[in-house]
Amino acid sequence: MTIGRIHSTESFGSADGPGVRFLVFCHGCGFRCKYCHNPDTWAKPCAQEVTPEDILKKALRYKNYWGTEGGITVSGGEPMLQPEFVSEIFELAHAQGVNTCMDTAGGPFTREGEKFAAFERLIAATDVVMLDIKHIDPAAHKELVGQDNANVLDFAKYLDEKGKRVWIRYVLVPGINEDEATLRKTAEFIHSLKCVERVDVLPYHTLGVFKWKELGLPYGLEGVKSPTKEQVTLAREILKI
């Protein structure tokens, strides 16, 4: 029996894939983003251990609200750290005619060994991938999240090879990734992919800072303000597809 480690679930998500979604937030992440909204998924014991069947049973209670586009989104933390668990959720969902979406930063991806086989199974069962691109520059990416972006960009290329539906998410952080040169380099990469349906520019905010304080963690972007309207408009103009 496959057991998954999750942080929480939400019944109605409207910005986490097509239509209205049932959301599953996985526990654990290999990145340490300086602006992470969910640092409580990092180190402390997970809130729940559940089976894929548990998740599907709970999700299907809300199926009548999903319409023709909605379904189940698995987010995080990082869902790709539990590929077997997420694959089974999505395979069970497909058996019920339910759309599946994964919100990921792509960090765990590799094309090597048994892990690649697990990721192939996962992507085969995923209808839409929401992929976070934190920074296009490897060194700046490592400074921001603790690891470079080689796996992330290779994952995007893999999704393109598979012809998957991909939505890019880009958190716009002043002083980090909002300058025009970085945006244009990011756009060049995104526009090289045929699979990308949309790009969502998400203005950086500090709504999750209280969680860092509750956990006794120093917040990585103390003093950084949200981007201006003009910065957001420029980013959306450059990154649009």
Side-chain angles (χ1 to χ4, degrees), residues 90-103:
F90 285 176
E91 288 163 358
L92 290 169
H94 276 176
Q96 298 289 330
V98 174
N99 179 273
T100 61
C101 178
M102 178 172 64
D103 183 3

Side-chain angles (χ1 to χ4, degrees), residues 4 10 24 46 48 68 71 77 89 95 101 130 135 173 175 190 194 209 214 218 226-227 229 232-233:
E10 291 185 13
V24 182
C46 65
Q48 305 173 54
T68 58
I89 294 173
C101 178
M130 303 181 73
H135 205 296
V173 188
I190 292 173
K194 301 182 294 293
V209 173
E214 287 180 349
S226 298
K229 182 179 179 180
V232 174
T233 298

Side-chain angles (χ1 to χ4, degrees), residues 178-223:
E178 100 298 349
D179 62 283
E180 187 169 342
T182 295
L183 290 170
R184 294 200 179 281
K185 189 174 180 181
T186 305
E188 182 180 1
F189 176 75
I190 292 173
H191 296 161
S192 73
L193 306 171
K194 301 182 294 293
C195 63
V196 178
E197 290 187 353
R198 60 186 281 177
V199 179
D200 293 324
V201 175
L202 309 176
Y204 162 77
H205 61 73
T206 58
L207 298 179
V209 173
F210 77 94
K211 294 183 180 181
W212 292 71
K213 294 180 178 179
E214 287 180 349
L215 294 168
L217 298 173
Y219 186 62
L221 296 181
E222 193 69 48

